[in-house]
Amino acid sequence: MLIVKKFGGTSVADKERIFNVARRCVEEYQKGNDVVVVLSAMGKQTDVLLDMARDINPKASKRELDMLLTTGEQTSVALMAMALNSLGVPAISLNAFQVAMHTNSVYSNSRLKSIDTERIKTELDNRKIVVITGFQGINKFDDYTTLGRGGSDTTAVALAAALHADACEIYTDVDGVFTADPRLVKNARKLNEITYDEMLDLASLGAGVLHNRSVELAKKYGVQLVVRSSLNNSEGTVVKEEVKMEKLLVSGVAVDRNVTRIAVMGLEDQPGVAFKLFNHLANHNINVDVILQSVGRDGTKDISFTVASDDADEAVEIIERHREGSLKCEKVDVEKSIAKLSIVGAGMMSHPGVASAMFEALYDENINIKMISTSEIRVTVIIDDNKVEKAINAVHNKFSLGE
Ligand code: ASP
Ligand code: MG
Protein backbone atom coordinates (compact mmCIF):
# COMPACT_ATOMS: atom_id res chain seq x y z
CA MET A 1 0.00 0.00 0.00
CA LEU A 2 1.07 3.58 -0.67
CA ILE A 3 0.06 5.96 2.07
CA VAL A 4 0.27 9.75 2.11
CA LYS A 5 0.40 11.23 5.59
CA LYS A 6 0.20 14.96 6.15
CA PHE A 7 1.12 16.57 9.45
CA GLY A 8 0.26 20.15 10.38
CA GLY A 9 2.48 22.68 12.11
CA THR A 10 1.47 21.82 15.68
CA SER A 11 2.27 18.16 15.02
CA VAL A 12 5.90 19.03 14.24
CA ALA A 13 6.27 22.04 16.54
CA ASP A 14 9.32 20.79 18.46
CA LYS A 15 11.83 17.95 18.72
CA GLU A 16 9.57 15.73 20.77
CA ARG A 17 6.68 16.11 18.33
CA ILE A 18 8.93 15.56 15.33
CA PHE A 19 10.03 12.26 16.81
CA ASN A 20 6.42 11.39 17.63
CA VAL A 21 5.54 11.84 13.95
CA ALA A 22 8.68 10.04 12.83
CA ARG A 23 7.77 7.02 14.94
CA ARG A 24 4.26 6.90 13.50
CA CYS A 25 5.70 6.94 10.01
CA VAL A 26 8.21 4.21 10.85
CA GLU A 27 5.38 2.03 12.17
CA GLU A 28 3.61 2.36 8.83
CA TYR A 29 6.82 1.73 6.93
CA GLN A 30 7.60 -1.40 8.93
CA LYS A 31 4.26 -2.88 7.87
CA GLY A 32 5.80 -2.93 4.42
CA ASN A 33 3.93 0.12 3.14
CA ASP A 34 5.31 2.92 1.00
CA VAL A 35 5.12 6.14 3.00
CA VAL A 36 5.00 9.68 1.66
CA VAL A 37 4.98 12.35 4.36
CA VAL A 38 3.84 15.92 3.70
CA LEU A 39 4.68 18.54 6.30
CA SER A 40 3.74 22.09 7.23
CA ALA A 41 6.21 24.48 8.75
CA MET A 42 6.98 23.93 12.44
CA GLY A 43 4.49 25.49 14.87
CA LYS A 44 3.80 29.11 14.05
CA GLN A 45 6.88 29.47 11.87
CA THR A 46 4.92 30.80 8.87
CA ASP A 47 3.56 33.64 11.03
CA VAL A 48 7.01 34.31 12.44
CA LEU A 49 8.41 34.64 8.92
CA LEU A 50 5.53 36.91 7.89
CA ASP A 51 6.22 39.15 10.89
CA MET A 52 9.88 39.35 9.95
CA ALA A 53 8.90 40.35 6.43
CA ARG A 54 6.47 43.03 7.62
CA ASP A 55 9.11 44.42 9.90
CA ILE A 56 11.53 44.85 7.01
CA ASN A 57 9.03 45.97 4.40
CA PRO A 58 5.27 46.09 4.95
CA LYS A 59 4.79 46.18 1.20
CA ALA A 60 7.09 43.27 0.39
CA SER A 61 6.33 41.67 -2.96
CA LYS A 62 4.42 38.42 -3.00
CA ARG A 63 7.26 36.80 -4.90
CA GLU A 64 9.73 37.53 -2.11
CA LEU A 65 7.20 36.53 0.53
CA ASP A 66 6.84 33.15 -1.13
CA MET A 67 10.59 32.80 -1.33
CA LEU A 68 10.68 33.42 2.41
CA LEU A 69 7.70 31.31 3.46
CA THR A 70 8.84 28.20 1.60
CA THR A 71 11.83 28.03 3.95
CA GLY A 72 9.44 27.07 6.76
CA GLU A 73 8.45 23.80 5.12
CA GLN A 74 11.97 23.19 3.92
CA THR A 75 13.16 23.30 7.53
CA SER A 76 10.57 20.83 8.80
CA VAL A 77 11.09 18.24 6.04
CA ALA A 78 14.86 18.23 6.44
CA LEU A 79 14.57 17.81 10.21
CA MET A 80 12.02 15.03 9.75
CA ALA A 81 14.29 13.13 7.37
CA MET A 82 17.09 13.47 9.92
CA ALA A 83 14.80 12.19 12.68
CA LEU A 84 13.78 9.19 10.54
CA ASN A 85 17.41 8.48 9.73
CA SER A 86 18.31 8.60 13.40
CA LEU A 87 15.63 5.95 14.00
CA GLY A 88 17.48 3.80 11.51
CA VAL A 89 15.08 4.23 8.60
CA PRO A 90 16.18 5.48 5.17
CA ALA A 91 14.43 8.72 4.33
CA ILE A 92 14.84 11.66 2.01
CA SER A 93 13.35 15.14 2.05
CA LEU A 94 12.30 16.84 -1.19
CA ASN A 95 11.03 20.34 -1.84
CA ALA A 96 8.67 21.51 -4.58
CA PHE A 97 11.57 22.11 -6.92
CA GLN A 98 13.09 18.69 -6.49
CA VAL A 99 9.78 16.89 -6.94
CA ALA A 100 8.70 19.35 -9.60
CA MET A 101 5.32 20.47 -8.35
CA HIS A 102 4.12 22.96 -10.93
CA THR A 103 1.63 25.70 -10.16
CA ASN A 104 0.21 28.64 -12.06
CA SER A 105 2.16 31.86 -11.73
CA VAL A 106 0.07 33.57 -9.02
CA TYR A 107 2.22 34.20 -5.96
CA SER A 108 0.91 33.58 -2.42
CA ASN A 109 -2.26 31.86 -3.62
CA SER A 110 -1.28 29.64 -6.51
CA ARG A 111 -2.95 26.51 -7.79
CA LEU A 112 -1.20 23.23 -8.46
CA LYS A 113 -1.19 22.27 -12.13
CA SER A 114 0.87 19.10 -12.29
CA ILE A 115 3.21 16.99 -10.22
CA ASP A 116 6.03 14.84 -11.54
CA THR A 117 5.95 11.57 -9.67
CA GLU A 118 9.11 10.01 -11.06
CA ARG A 119 11.56 11.16 -8.42
CA ILE A 120 9.18 10.19 -5.63
CA LYS A 121 8.59 6.75 -7.13
CA THR A 122 12.30 6.13 -7.52
CA GLU A 123 12.93 6.99 -3.87
CA LEU A 124 10.02 4.79 -2.74
CA ASP A 125 11.36 1.94 -4.87
CA ASN A 126 14.60 2.32 -2.92
CA ARG A 127 12.50 1.78 0.23
CA LYS A 128 12.89 5.31 1.51
CA ILE A 129 10.30 7.31 3.37
CA VAL A 130 9.83 10.39 1.22
CA VAL A 131 9.23 13.62 3.13
CA ILE A 132 7.82 16.42 1.00
CA THR A 133 7.29 20.13 1.64
CA GLY A 134 3.62 21.10 1.80
CA PHE A 135 2.24 24.48 0.78
CA GLN A 136 4.80 25.24 -1.95
CA GLY A 137 5.16 24.88 -5.69
CA ILE A 138 7.16 26.28 -8.58
CA ASN A 139 5.87 28.35 -11.45
CA LYS A 140 6.92 28.71 -15.06
CA PHE A 141 9.58 31.25 -14.09
CA ASP A 142 11.15 28.63 -11.79
CA ASP A 143 10.13 30.77 -8.83
CA TYR A 144 8.67 29.40 -5.64
CA THR A 145 4.98 29.94 -5.11
CA THR A 146 2.73 29.09 -2.18
CA LEU A 147 -0.79 27.65 -2.20
CA GLY A 148 -2.38 29.98 0.35
CA ARG A 149 -2.47 29.62 4.12
CA GLY A 150 -3.17 26.06 5.18
CA GLY A 151 -2.21 24.84 1.73
CA SER A 152 -0.24 21.78 2.86
CA ASP A 153 -3.48 19.79 2.96
CA THR A 154 -3.83 20.48 -0.75
CA THR A 155 -0.28 19.33 -1.45
CA ALA A 156 -1.07 16.06 0.34
CA VAL A 157 -4.27 15.42 -1.60
CA ALA A 158 -2.67 16.35 -4.92
CA LEU A 159 0.19 13.94 -4.20
CA ALA A 160 -2.24 11.20 -3.19
CA ALA A 161 -4.11 11.70 -6.48
CA ALA A 162 -0.97 11.84 -8.61
CA LEU A 163 0.55 8.77 -6.96
CA HIS A 164 -2.77 6.86 -6.89
CA ALA A 165 -2.21 6.40 -3.16
CA ASP A 166 -4.28 3.89 -1.25
CA ALA A 167 -4.89 6.30 1.61
CA CYS A 168 -4.52 9.98 2.39
CA GLU A 169 -4.38 10.80 6.07
CA ILE A 170 -4.43 14.36 7.34
CA TYR A 171 -3.05 14.54 10.86
CA THR A 172 -3.85 17.53 13.01
CA ASP A 173 -4.10 18.53 16.68
CA VAL A 174 -7.81 17.70 16.98
CA ASP A 175 -9.50 14.30 16.73
CA GLY A 176 -11.26 14.99 13.43
CA VAL A 177 -14.05 17.12 12.02
CA PHE A 178 -16.43 18.36 14.66
CA THR A 179 -19.99 19.70 14.64
CA ALA A 180 -18.40 23.03 15.65
CA ASP A 181 -15.01 24.33 16.71
CA PRO A 182 -14.45 22.59 20.07
CA ARG A 183 -12.61 25.67 21.31
CA LEU A 184 -15.83 27.66 21.01
CA VAL A 185 -18.46 25.00 21.67
CA LYS A 186 -17.76 22.81 24.71
CA ASN A 187 -20.07 19.92 23.77
CA ALA A 188 -19.13 19.78 20.08
CA ARG A 189 -19.20 16.22 18.77
CA LYS A 190 -16.76 14.50 16.45
CA LEU A 191 -18.29 13.31 13.16
CA ASN A 192 -17.35 9.82 11.95
CA GLU A 193 -18.04 10.65 8.33
CA ILE A 194 -18.88 13.65 6.23
CA THR A 195 -19.45 14.19 2.50
CA TYR A 196 -17.08 16.16 0.28
CA ASP A 197 -19.79 18.73 -0.35
CA GLU A 198 -20.46 19.36 3.31
CA MET A 199 -16.76 19.45 4.05
CA LEU A 200 -16.23 21.83 1.18
CA ASP A 201 -18.68 24.24 2.71
CA LEU A 202 -17.27 23.73 6.19
CA ALA A 203 -13.69 24.17 4.97
CA SER A 204 -14.32 27.30 2.97
CA LEU A 205 -16.53 28.62 5.73
CA GLY A 206 -13.66 28.68 8.10
CA ALA A 207 -14.02 25.50 10.11
CA GLY A 208 -10.26 25.49 9.85
CA VAL A 209 -9.70 21.75 9.66
CA LEU A 210 -8.93 21.42 5.95
CA HIS A 211 -7.79 23.78 3.23
CA ASN A 212 -10.80 24.15 0.94
CA ARG A 213 -8.92 23.38 -2.23
CA SER A 214 -7.77 20.09 -0.74
CA VAL A 215 -11.40 19.02 -0.47
CA GLU A 216 -12.15 20.25 -3.99
CA LEU A 217 -9.27 18.15 -5.30
CA ALA A 218 -10.23 15.14 -3.20
CA LYS A 219 -13.74 15.26 -4.65
CA LYS A 220 -12.48 15.71 -8.19
CA TYR A 221 -10.10 12.78 -8.04
CA GLY A 222 -12.07 10.62 -5.62
CA VAL A 223 -9.37 10.68 -2.95
CA GLN A 224 -10.88 9.46 0.30
CA LEU A 225 -9.49 11.48 3.20
CA VAL A 226 -9.14 10.72 6.86
CA VAL A 227 -8.73 13.63 9.27
CA ARG A 228 -7.29 12.46 12.57
CA SER A 229 -5.12 13.41 15.52
CA SER A 230 -1.35 13.03 15.50
CA LEU A 231 -1.41 12.88 19.28
CA ASN A 232 -3.59 9.78 19.82
CA ASN A 233 -4.91 6.77 17.93
CA SER A 234 -8.60 7.66 17.72
CA GLU A 235 -10.31 6.95 14.43
CA GLY A 236 -10.84 10.41 13.03
CA THR A 237 -13.34 11.54 10.41
CA VAL A 238 -13.63 10.06 6.93
CA VAL A 239 -14.36 12.54 4.15
CA LYS A 240 -15.92 10.91 1.08
CA GLU A 241 -18.55 11.12 -1.63
CA GLU A 242 -21.52 9.51 0.13
CA VAL A 243 -21.95 8.79 3.80
CA LYS A 244 -23.59 5.61 5.01
CA MET A 245 -25.63 7.19 7.73
CA GLU A 246 -28.84 8.98 7.14
CA LYS A 247 -27.97 12.44 5.96
CA LEU A 248 -27.95 14.82 8.87
CA LEU A 249 -30.18 17.82 8.64
CA VAL A 250 -27.35 19.94 9.91
CA SER A 251 -23.86 18.44 10.19
CA GLY A 252 -22.03 21.39 11.60
CA VAL A 253 -21.83 25.06 12.45
CA ALA A 254 -18.81 26.94 11.12
CA VAL A 255 -17.40 30.32 11.98
CA ASP A 256 -15.06 32.53 10.02
CA ARG A 257 -13.87 35.58 11.93
CA ASN A 258 -11.43 36.69 9.29
CA VAL A 259 -14.00 38.63 7.29
CA THR A 260 -14.54 42.29 6.51
CA ARG A 261 -17.66 43.85 5.08
CA ILE A 262 -17.30 46.53 2.45
CA ALA A 263 -20.33 48.59 1.50
CA VAL A 264 -20.23 50.67 -1.66
CA MET A 265 -23.05 53.18 -1.35
CA GLY A 266 -24.81 55.35 -3.86
CA LEU A 267 -23.69 53.51 -6.96
CA GLU A 268 -25.47 54.32 -10.21
CA ASP A 269 -28.49 52.04 -10.61
CA GLN A 270 -27.55 50.90 -14.09
CA PRO A 271 -26.65 47.71 -15.93
CA GLY A 272 -23.00 46.69 -15.57
CA VAL A 273 -22.28 48.30 -12.21
CA ALA A 274 -21.98 45.01 -10.30
CA PHE A 275 -19.93 43.57 -13.14
CA LYS A 276 -17.47 46.48 -13.06
CA LEU A 277 -17.13 46.41 -9.29
CA PHE A 278 -16.47 42.69 -9.01
CA ASN A 279 -14.43 42.53 -12.17
CA HIS A 280 -11.96 45.08 -10.78
CA LEU A 281 -11.62 42.93 -7.65
CA ALA A 282 -11.35 39.67 -9.58
CA ASN A 283 -8.56 41.15 -11.69
CA HIS A 284 -6.60 41.49 -8.47
CA ASN A 285 -7.42 37.94 -7.37
CA ILE A 286 -9.65 39.14 -4.55
CA ASN A 287 -12.32 36.63 -3.64
CA VAL A 288 -15.70 38.08 -2.79
CA ASP A 289 -18.11 36.16 -0.62
CA VAL A 290 -21.54 37.17 0.66
CA ILE A 291 -23.03 39.82 -1.62
CA LEU A 292 -26.02 42.00 -0.92
CA GLN A 293 -27.53 44.58 -3.25
CA SER A 294 -30.15 47.06 -2.13
CA VAL A 295 -33.27 47.96 -4.05
CA GLY A 296 -32.58 50.89 -6.36
CA ARG A 297 -33.78 54.26 -5.13
CA ASP A 298 -33.60 57.64 -6.89
CA GLY A 299 -31.29 56.18 -9.50
CA THR A 300 -28.76 54.81 -7.01
CA LYS A 301 -28.15 51.56 -5.19
CA ASP A 302 -25.81 50.10 -2.59
CA ILE A 303 -23.79 46.92 -2.93
CA SER A 304 -22.15 45.38 0.08
CA PHE A 305 -20.01 42.27 0.19
CA THR A 306 -17.51 40.47 2.35
CA VAL A 307 -13.87 39.67 1.67
CA ALA A 308 -11.14 37.96 3.69
CA SER A 309 -9.82 40.60 6.12
CA ASP A 310 -6.33 40.33 4.65
CA ASP A 311 -7.72 41.49 1.30
CA ALA A 312 -9.83 44.34 2.69
CA ASP A 313 -7.33 47.19 2.39
CA GLU A 314 -6.44 46.26 -1.16
CA ALA A 315 -10.12 45.92 -2.11
CA VAL A 316 -10.89 49.40 -0.78
CA GLU A 317 -7.87 50.84 -2.58
CA ILE A 318 -9.04 49.35 -5.86
CA ILE A 319 -12.54 50.75 -5.46
CA GLU A 320 -11.21 54.19 -4.48
CA ARG A 321 -9.01 54.17 -7.57
CA HIS A 322 -12.05 53.78 -9.81
CA ARG A 323 -14.43 56.15 -8.04
CA GLU A 324 -13.78 58.96 -10.47
CA GLY A 325 -14.18 56.64 -13.47
CA SER A 326 -16.18 53.46 -13.88
CA LEU A 327 -17.33 53.16 -10.27
CA LYS A 328 -19.04 56.43 -9.35
CA CYS A 329 -20.41 56.17 -5.83
CA GLU A 330 -21.15 58.31 -2.79
CA LYS A 331 -19.34 56.41 -0.08
CA VAL A 332 -17.28 53.35 0.71
CA ASP A 333 -17.86 51.96 4.16
CA VAL A 334 -15.73 49.29 5.85
CA GLU A 335 -16.67 47.16 8.82
CA LYS A 336 -14.00 44.85 10.21
CA SER A 337 -15.44 43.46 13.42
CA ILE A 338 -17.85 41.05 11.83
CA ALA A 339 -17.94 37.29 11.53
CA LYS A 340 -19.54 34.73 9.29
CA LEU A 341 -21.58 31.94 10.86
CA SER A 342 -22.87 29.06 8.76
CA ILE A 343 -24.79 25.85 9.16
CA VAL A 344 -24.12 23.05 6.71
CA GLY A 345 -26.02 19.85 6.08
CA ALA A 346 -26.78 17.63 3.10
CA GLY A 347 -30.23 16.87 4.57
CA MET A 348 -31.26 20.52 4.33
CA MET A 349 -32.10 20.11 0.66
CA SER A 350 -35.25 18.16 1.43
CA HIS A 351 -36.29 19.88 4.67
CA PRO A 352 -37.82 23.34 4.83
CA GLY A 353 -37.55 25.47 7.95
CA VAL A 354 -33.86 24.97 8.66
CA ALA A 355 -32.96 28.58 7.95
CA SER A 356 -35.79 29.92 10.08
CA ALA A 357 -34.75 27.70 12.99
CA MET A 358 -31.27 29.17 12.76
CA PHE A 359 -32.65 32.72 12.68
CA GLU A 360 -34.84 31.94 15.68
CA ALA A 361 -31.85 30.72 17.68
CA LEU A 362 -30.12 34.03 16.98
CA TYR A 363 -33.26 36.03 17.75
CA ASP A 364 -33.57 34.26 21.12
CA GLU A 365 -30.09 35.57 21.93
CA ASN A 366 -30.96 39.01 20.62
CA ILE A 367 -28.27 38.79 17.94
CA ASN A 368 -28.76 40.95 14.88
CA ILE A 369 -28.20 39.49 11.42
CA LYS A 370 -26.42 41.85 9.02
CA MET A 371 -26.39 39.77 5.87
CA ILE A 372 -27.74 36.39 4.78
CA SER A 373 -26.78 34.03 2.02
CA THR A 374 -27.83 30.45 1.30
CA SER A 375 -27.08 27.48 -0.93
CA GLU A 376 -28.72 24.05 -1.21
CA ILE A 377 -26.85 22.71 1.78
CA ARG A 378 -25.87 25.85 3.67
CA VAL A 379 -27.20 28.96 5.41
CA THR A 380 -24.75 31.76 6.19
CA VAL A 381 -25.26 34.87 8.27
CA ILE A 382 -23.00 37.82 8.99
CA ILE A 383 -23.08 39.00 12.60
CA ASP A 384 -21.02 41.13 14.99
CA ASP A 385 -17.76 39.41 15.82
CA ASN A 386 -18.19 39.88 19.57
CA LYS A 387 -21.39 37.79 19.46
CA VAL A 388 -19.72 34.79 17.83
CA GLU A 389 -19.43 32.53 20.84
CA LYS A 390 -22.97 33.13 21.97
CA ALA A 391 -24.27 32.68 18.44
CA ILE A 392 -22.46 29.46 17.61
CA ASN A 393 -23.53 27.85 20.87
CA ALA A 394 -27.14 28.92 20.41
CA VAL A 395 -27.28 27.54 16.88
CA HIS A 396 -25.43 24.36 17.84
CA ASN A 397 -27.96 23.75 20.64
CA LYS A 398 -30.91 24.59 18.44
CA PHE A 399 -30.09 21.66 16.16
CA SER A 400 -29.12 19.40 19.09
CA LEU A 401 -25.69 18.78 17.60
CA GLY A 402 -23.84 18.35 20.86
CA GLU A 403 -22.99 15.29 22.89
N1 ASP B 1 2.71 26.63 6.79
C1 ASP B 1 1.62 27.10 6.00
C2 ASP B 1 0.65 27.92 6.85
O1 ASP B 1 0.90 28.12 8.01
C3 ASP B 1 0.90 26.03 5.27
C4 ASP B 1 0.20 25.01 6.14
O2 ASP B 1 0.41 24.97 7.33
O3 ASP B 1 -0.58 24.24 5.61
O4 ASP B 1 -0.32 28.40 6.35
MG1 MG C 1 -4.26 23.39 8.43
Side-chain angles (χ1 to χ4, degrees):
M1 290 225 295
L2 197 167
I3 298 173
V4 174
K5 293 175 179 293
K6 180 262 169 179
F7 295 89
T10 41
S11 303
V12 292
D14 54 34
K15 177 179 168 186
E16 197 186 321
R17 297 242 173 133
I18 287 177
F19 272 102
N20 168 52
V21 167
R23 277 190 295 270
R24 285 191 89 128
C25 296
V26 169
E27 240 171 69
E28 195 75 75
Y29 172 88
Q30 282 171 343
K31 290 183 203 156
N33 292 323
D34 287 332
V35 182
V36 171
V37 185
V38 176
L39 298 183
S40 295
M42 293 169 69
K44 297 243 169 289
Q45 181 63 12
T46 306
D47 294 316
V48 172
L49 292 169
L50 278 172
D51 284 344
M52 285 168 75
R54 273 188 211 111
D55 192 33
I56 296 273
N57 178 357
K59 291 206 147 67
S61 77
K62 289 184 170 164
R63 184 209 177 264
E64 297 308 332
L65 284 171
D66 281 357
M67 187 71 179
L68 179 70
L69 293 189
T70 48
T71 65
E73 273 69 16
Q74 198 157 318
T75 306
S76 55
V77 295
L79 292 173
M80 184 60 67
M82 293 174 201
L84 289 162
N85 287 156
S86 85
L87 296 175
V89 174
I92 184 168
S93 63
L94 298 172
N95 66 16
F97 213 91
Q98 293 163 316
V99 172
M101 290 195 266
H102 301 275
T103 67
N104 63 10
S105 43
V106 179
Y107 296 101
S108 94
N109 197 18
S110 65
R111 279 175 181 263
L112 282 165
K113 280 170 55 180
S114 65
I115 298 181
D116 292 352
T117 51
E118 232 178 273
R119 176 76 189 268
I120 302 172
K121 283 183 177 153
T122 309
E123 303 295 353
L124 289 174
D125 285 345
N126 292 331
R127 279 302 282 157
K128 284 187 188 159
I129 293 182
V130 184
V131 192
I132 301 176
T133 49
F135 180 53
Q136 57 179 254
I138 48 168
N139 67 15
K140 63 180 178 210
F141 310 113
D142 277 353
D143 281 341
Y144 280 108
T145 55
T146 60
L147 309 182
R149 296 306 304 269
S152 298
D153 299 333
T154 299
T155 309
V157 173
L159 280 166
L163 292 163
H164 305 288
D166 299 286
C168 184
E169 303 168 346
I170 309 286
Y171 289 85
T172 171
D173 54 347
V174 291
D175 285 353
V177 180
F178 281 72
T179 51
D181 184 339
R183 286 167 300 190
L184 293 174
V185 177
K186 290 285 159 301
N187 66 344
R189 188 168 45 83
K190 196 202 82 189
L191 295 162
N192 293 324
E193 322 179 297
I194 189 166
T195 65
Y196 291 128
D197 287 333
E198 289 171 309
M199 196 61 234
L200 213 45
D201 268 339
L202 285 169
S204 55
L205 295 172
V209 230
L210 285 173
H211 193 234
N212 59 350
R213 247 178 254 151
S214 71
V215 188
E216 256 170 47
L217 271 188
K219 182 178 157 77
K220 187 166 168 196
Y221 293 102
V223 176
Q224 187 167 310
L225 299 178
V226 182
V227 181
R228 54 189 302 189
S229 169
S230 65
L231 307 170
N232 61 45
N233 278 318
S234 74
E235 296 260 306
T237 303
V238 178
V239 190
K240 55 186 183 179
E241 187 62 47
E242 275 292 328
V243 297
K244 277 188 255 96
M245 314 177 295
E246 199 188 329
K247 283 178 186 146
L248 293 173
L249 198 53
V250 173
S251 298
V253 192
V255 165
D256 185 357
R257 312 183 79 152
N258 179 34
V259 263
T260 294
R261 176 173 74 160
I262 298 174
V264 188
M265 277 142 29
L267 284 157
E268 290 169 296
D269 191 12
Q270 273 180 12
V273 170
F275 162 68
K276 284 175 200 155
L277 171 59
F278 295 119
N279 192 44
H280 286 309
L281 298 172
N283 286 341
H284 290 82
N285 290 307
I286 293 178
N287 272 324
V288 171
D289 194 27
V290 184
I291 299 174
L292 193 76
Q293 177 174 308
S294 71
V295 177
R297 224 206 238 159
D298 303 329
T300 69
K301 64 184 170 193
D302 309 333
I303 297 179
S304 42
F305 56 92
T306 61
V307 294
S309 292
D310 303 335
D311 286 337
D313 289 344
E314 196 183 349
V316 172
E317 245 172 63
I318 293 165
I319 298 166
E320 292 289 351
R321 223 182 294 148
H322 294 282
R323 272 183 76 168
E324 299 304 318
S326 55
L327 274 185
K328 290 198 179 57
C329 63
E330 281 154 21
K331 193 174 151 204
V332 183
D333 192 59
V334 180
E335 191 175 11
K336 295 211 161 172
S337 55
I338 56 158
K340 194 166 68 168
L341 182 82
S342 306
I343 52 173
V344 175
M348 239 183 246
M349 257 187 274
S350 47
H351 284 80
V354 175
S356 79
M358 179 192 197
F359 302 155
E360 186 179 28
L362 296 170
Y363 172 46
D364 287 344
E365 293 292 337
N366 200 22
I367 294 168
N368 192 32
I369 299 173
K370 295 170 172 259
M371 292 167 104
I372 300 174
S373 102
T374 62
S375 81
E376 269 192 322
I377 64 162
R378 174 180 57 81
V379 183
T380 297
V381 297
I382 301 293
I383 57 173
D384 270 335
D385 185 68
N386 60 20
K387 299 272 168 58
V388 155
E389 250 183 279
K390 221 174 175 186
I392 191 171
N393 279 286
V395 173
H396 195 260
N397 282 339
K398 185 78 179 177
F399 293 101
S400 311
L401 294 176
E403 292 192 301

